[in-house]
């Protein structure tokens, strides 16, 4: 039984996720997954790009579960990670200038500063356009991205951390902000595994 939604994403965010999903699965793939997730209302009717706040956080966990049953747990999570990466392209179109990460002044900052400032601005945006309550802790080596109300874990239990959409989104956002470098992004704690937050740790030294 699904309890009534209490926390939401902005409609813009919901639309970005569904468009990214379509990029990864194709149109008929998205429709199949939406059926499986018992969310047929989104078929051919993604949320509008507007200021509304009506995309329940728990719809993301229903979608993740649908991916896992459609493609198997491992492959389903792999695809969901790719959806997270694809969100960045649509997200930049919608929020790039708001974030101030597309302007020249930002692009000229030294790389470590760009990674720190970019992560802080992204967390600030998430706290504006979703009810996830993201908190950041930054030290010399790591950035710890802590989610209090994780949409991917909503009423889910898992043996391993599985908030792959957030991991993929952060990987791709860092790739973009750094001008093409890859960072180690690892989920170390997960609410679905019994932790109090979902904690994703970013190693501030690029791998390549
Ligand atoms: Zn989570």
């Amino acid at each position: 039984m699904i309890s009534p939604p209490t926390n939401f994403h902005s409609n813009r965010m919901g639309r970005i996720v569904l468009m990214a999903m379509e990029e990864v699965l194709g149109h008929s793939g998205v429709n199949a997954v939406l059926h499986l997730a018992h969310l047929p209302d989104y078929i051919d009717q993604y949320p509008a790009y507007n200021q509304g706040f009506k995309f329940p956080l728990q719809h993301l966990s229903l979608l993740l579960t649908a991916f896992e049953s459609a493609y198997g747990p491992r492959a389903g999570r792999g695809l969901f990670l790719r959806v997270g990466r694809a969100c960045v392209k649509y997200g930049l179109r919608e929020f790039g200038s708001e974030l101030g990460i597309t302007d020249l002044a930002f692009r000229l900052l030294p790389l470590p500063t760009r990674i720190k400032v970019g992560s802080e601005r992204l967390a600030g945006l998430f706290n504006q356009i979703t009810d996830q309550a993201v908190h950041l802790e930054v030290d010399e080596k790591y950035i710890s991205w802590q989610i209090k109300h994780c949409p991917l874990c909503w009423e889910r239990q898992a043996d391993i951390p599985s908030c792959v959409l957030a991991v993929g989104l952060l990987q791709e956002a860092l790739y973009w902000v750094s001008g093409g470098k890859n960072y180690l992004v690892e989920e170390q704690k997960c609410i679905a595994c019994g932790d109090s937050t979902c904690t994703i740790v970013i190693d501030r030294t690029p791998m390549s």
Side-chain angles (χ1 to χ4, degrees):
M1 165 113 173
I2 298 165
S3 45
T6 47
N7 294 71
F8 295 87
H9 282 301
S10 72
N11 295 344
R12 295 193 289 176
M13 186 73 175
R15 186 176 179 87
I16 286 167
V17 171
L18 289 170
M19 286 174 62
M21 223 172 260
E22 184 164 330
E23 183 172 312
V24 173
L25 298 183
H27 190 66
S28 54
V30 177
N31 289 355
V33 162
L34 285 170
H35 267 300
L36 210 54
H38 304 290
L39 298 170
D41 290 354
Y42 292 129
I43 292 179
D44 295 324
Q45 210 167 339
Y46 297 167
Y49 272 133
N50 62 29
Q51 303 295 333
F53 229 74
K54 292 192 175 145
F55 188 88
L57 291 192
Q58 73 198 53
H59 285 185
L60 279 189
S61 82
L62 295 174
L63 284 165
L64 172 57
T65 302
F67 266 62
E68 288 179 335
S69 35
Y71 302 98
R74 216 181 137 82
R77 284 196 295 269
L79 285 166
F80 221 59
L81 183 130
R82 283 176 52 198
V83 171
R85 295 194 77 130
C87 283
V88 173
K89 179 172 94 186
Y90 299 102
L92 278 172
R93 243 181 245 171
E94 183 69 11
F95 297 110
S97 58
E98 229 168 286
L99 280 170
I101 58 171
T102 47
D103 55 42
L104 186 63
F106 180 79
R107 313 279 307 163
L108 291 176
L109 291 172
L111 182 59
T113 314
R114 240 185 299 153
I115 295 302
K116 178 174 177 285
V117 173
S119 303
E120 286 167 350
R121 289 192 189 163
L122 191 60
L125 177 73
F126 268 74
N127 287 335
Q128 241 178 64
I129 64 167
T130 82
D131 285 338
Q132 291 185 55
V134 175
H135 170 71
L136 279 198
E137 271 173 27
V138 182
D139 67 23
E140 292 278 288
K141 282 179 75 70
Y142 300 102
I143 296 172
S144 167
W145 176 282
Q146 300 167 2
I147 309 166
K148 190 171 166 205
H149 305 299
C150 177
L152 300 154
C153 286
W154 214 270
E155 292 174 347
R156 261 174 64 90
Q157 286 183 333
D159 297 331
I160 52 165
S162 45
C163 306
V164 285
L165 186 129
V167 172
L169 192 149
L170 289 172
Q171 282 175 346
E172 185 69 17
L174 292 165
Y175 181 82
W176 193 89
V177 162
S178 65
K181 295 194 183 301
N182 290 297
Y183 287 81
L184 187 64
V185 178
E186 197 182 19
E187 187 177 16
Q188 295 187 349
K189 289 184 184 170
C190 181
I191 295 166
C193 300
D195 292 310
S196 57
T197 59
C198 290
T199 299
I200 298 170
V201 176
I202 298 160
D203 188 329
R204 295 182 65 183
T205 309
M207 294 188 290
S208 59

